[in-house]
Amino acid sequence: MERGLGSAPSRSQRSASAEQRGLGHICHWEMNSGIISRLSDAAFEDPWSSIFMNVLSPLSFIKVSHVRMQGILLLFFAKYHHLPYIRILFTNSTPTGLFGYWGNKGGVSISLKLYGYYVTIINCHLPPHICNNDKRLEHFDRILETQNSERHGIPNILDHDLILWFGDMNFRIEDFGLHFVQESIKNRCYSNLWAKDQLSIAKRHDVLLREFQEGPLLFPPTYKFDKNSNNYDTSEKKRKPAWTDRILWRLKRHSQDAPHTLSLPAPHFSLSLKLYVSHMTYSISDHKPVTGTFDLELKPLVYTPPITLMPESLWTMENDMVVSYFSAPDFPSSPWDWIGLYKVGMRHINDYVSYVWVGDNQISVSDNLHQVYINISSIPKNADQFLLCYYSNNLHSVVGISTSFQVRNAGGGRVSQRTSQSPSSVSCEATSGGTGEWKEDGGRPGLLPLPPVLSLQIPSRCFLREEPLGEAQPQI
């Protein structure tokens, strides 16, 4: 493994407590890209995904999407109650190494809609060496240009509400000699070096690059270190330290009377940087990882999910339970849509314990009210908490999610529904109008109404259960 860098947007207007504020968690790691490692990762889960899922799943985060190009990996996590409001539009890879044919350099991206807003996240690895600054800027432009999709209805990337761009950008410090740079670092006079930072110089001359913001560089340059130490390069090359690992962001520009002026972002969507630091204790690489922590505040453009799982009493038979849900009139349903049953604390969308194709196990349809049954015969009746997710094949996203519940002993026993989502402290209270509010433990309501989410109902008659679904299991 080589170097790591991450960025964590952490709050929306639905936030309730410090632990609950995380809307999403974004991580990048440049990984070992050797042939053996790549073959292993193709057959098994990559080690960084596994590590982060182990850490984040107890905090109610799940892995929503990922994209990898050789050694460049981008992971996107979110707390599961946000899933119906996150739509993954597409992932993209742009190789720029070896005349554009090799992915050791270039960028990967995830584009999504978040509560109705367009967001693109880009991770890149640009060309090294101080003399290649023009090539770095050329690759920067090329990666940006390839983010524009020809898919219908997706705007140009420069019209997206947020672009979050980070990675090993490889910008160096010009002019100053090695001794001056080292003494400035030793005395923590980082501001002495800012004026000769190549990225800062480029932003002064490039109008588009100037629209990307960055936090102040109040930490030591993150490259190049002797491995397993905090000493800058002591090899024969004695590379000059530099801030190669960076986190940038750009908010959508809003037109004003003057065509070339940049207005403030719209008040209903704002991003503020809370922390921008390096982690000097990490020593297995010649880079030090950099993290950024952000607050994202927004007024949702979408208030209800496409699929609403109804909040009624929860019942089960010995082998089957019935799921009732409403679909929005314009929801593009597919017979390949499926509902997964998950243990609370699931790591990713394929981490289901059972599932059902809605087209195969449908019982009834009436005025957008649907019923399907799901087999639970193989699920142990213990103290585990479960929830349901509806996955849309056309939208490639989770579009409905339930509150958590418990499957008790078979034989017609009732399933208990929790009033708070484990392991978090958030609760959802339903009202007569079919909406709810997120509340903290102390009962203070959040800013947004939350739609009801779950109904499991036992039918009054028996149904013939189909044979197991076999090998045609849903995979994302």
Side-chain angles (χ1 to χ4, degrees), residues 86-116:
I86 298 172
R87 178 185 168 192
I88 301 299
L89 300 175
F90 60 89
T91 61
N92 190 35
S93 301
T94 307
T96 60
L98 195 63
F99 307 105
Y101 293 100
W102 192 243
N104 63 325
K105 299 293 186 291
V108 297
S109 67
I110 298 173
S111 291
L112 59 119
K113 289 188 77 172
L114 175 66
Y115 286 92

Side-chain angles (χ1 to χ4, degrees), residues 158-465:
L158 297 180
D159 291 323
H160 287 196
D161 298 282
L162 172 64
I163 303 172
L164 197 59
W165 193 324
F166 46 75
D168 180 3
M169 299 187 181
N170 259 320
F171 290 105
R172 306 304 171 96
I173 296 173
E174 294 184 347
D175 298 340
F176 295 137
L178 175 62
H179 179 73
F180 178 81
V181 171
Q182 289 177 334
E183 286 299 307
S184 297
I185 296 170
K186 180 180 178 181
N187 296 319
R188 299 187 177 182
C189 297
Y190 308 128
S191 59
N192 292 344
L193 308 176
W194 293 346
K196 296 300 181 180
D197 169 66
Q198 288 180 331
L199 177 56
S200 300
I201 295 172
K203 290 178 69 174
R204 291 197 291 268
H205 298 93
D206 189 300
V207 175
L208 178 59
L209 194 57
R210 197 181 307 148
E211 295 179 5
F212 285 87
Q213 304 177 61
E214 183 183 18
L217 299 170
L218 301 178
F219 49 86
T222 57
Y223 176 83
K224 176 182 181 7
F225 288 84
D226 295 336
K227 289 188 177 181
N228 301 310
S229 79
N230 286 327
N231 301 320
Y232 285 101
D233 187 16
T234 59
S235 69
E236 293 182 0
K237 295 182 178 180
K238 288 187 169 57
R239 292 181 179 89
K240 190 164 52 176
W243 288 286
T244 57
D245 310 284
R246 314 291 278 268
I247 300 175
L248 312 177
W249 73 95
R250 178 189 183 272
L251 292 169
K252 181 179 178 180
R253 182 172 61 185
H254 297 273
S255 59
Q256 290 181 327
D257 294 337
H260 299 296
T261 59
L262 181 66
S263 71
L264 294 175
H268 54 267
F269 189 96
S270 65
L271 186 78
S272 56
L273 178 67
K274 295 303 177 183
L275 192 64
Y276 190 31
V277 296
S278 65
H279 299 270
M280 302 299 290
T281 56
Y282 182 91
S283 61
I284 66 172
S285 168
D286 56 356
H287 288 244
K288 300 296 182 182
V290 176
T291 59
T293 304
F294 296 83
D295 275 2
L296 173 61
E297 298 191 48
L298 57 86
K299 179 180 179 181
L301 302 177
V302 178
Y303 286 90
T304 57
I307 295 294
T308 301
L309 297 155
M310 296 170 57
E312 298 176 358
S313 299
L314 307 177
W315 296 86
T316 180
M317 286 182 67
E318 182 176 357
N319 291 323
D320 297 313
M321 63 170 63
V322 171
V323 180
S324 301
Y325 63 91
F326 275 108
S327 61
D330 58 347
F331 173 64
S333 63
S334 164
W336 295 105
D337 292 352
W338 52 276
I339 296 174
L341 178 67
Y342 300 84
K343 286 185 180 181
V344 169
M346 73 276 202
R347 294 149 48 93
H348 52 79
I349 197 63
N350 287 335
D351 207 10
Y352 49 79
V353 295
S354 185
Y355 67 94
V356 60
W357 300 105
V358 297
D360 290 346
N361 286 25
Q362 187 166 272
I363 299 170
S364 65
V365 181
S366 176
D367 297 328
N368 296 319
L369 172 62
H370 307 257
Q371 287 188 321
V372 298
Y373 70 92
I374 183 170
N375 182 266
I376 58 170
S377 59
S378 61
I379 300 172
K381 310 304 186 293
N382 51 31
D384 288 334
Q385 297 294 323
F386 294 88
L387 53 80
L388 294 167
C389 292
Y390 186 110
Y391 185 87
S392 168
N393 183 66
N394 288 328
L395 300 180
H396 308 291
S397 301
V398 171
V399 293
I401 191 168
S402 74
T403 53
S404 58
F405 58 91
Q406 184 177 2
V407 178
R408 292 187 177 175
N409 292 332
R414 183 176 179 179
V415 182
S416 64
Q417 185 174 9
R418 292 174 58 87
T419 56
S420 62
Q421 294 188 345
S422 175
S424 70
S425 60
V426 171
S427 65
C428 177
E429 293 186 355
T431 67
S432 58
T435 60
E437 292 181 325
W438 287 106
K439 291 194 174 185
E440 294 184 25
D441 291 340
R444 180 170 60 84
L447 298 178
L448 300 174
L450 188 68
V453 284
L454 175 65
S455 173
L456 299 180
Q457 220 172 6
I458 190 65
S460 57
R461 59 191 186 280
C462 294
F463 299 96
L464 293 176
R465 182 162 54 86

Side-chain angles (χ1 to χ4, degrees), residues 28-70:
H28 146 261
W29 296 89
E30 181 165 314
M31 302 174 60
N32 186 333
S33 59
I35 295 297
I36 298 301
S37 175
R38 292 171 63 191
L39 290 174
S40 174
D41 290 347
F44 306 101
E45 195 171 72
D46 70 82
W48 284 116
S49 289
S50 181
I51 289 171
F52 276 104
M53 286 189 290
N54 289 341
V55 171
L56 294 172
S57 61
L59 302 176
S60 301
F61 284 94
I62 78 167
K63 187 175 77 171
V64 180
S65 184
H66 75 283
V67 57
R68 179 178 179 181
M69 182 178 67
Q70 291 187 210

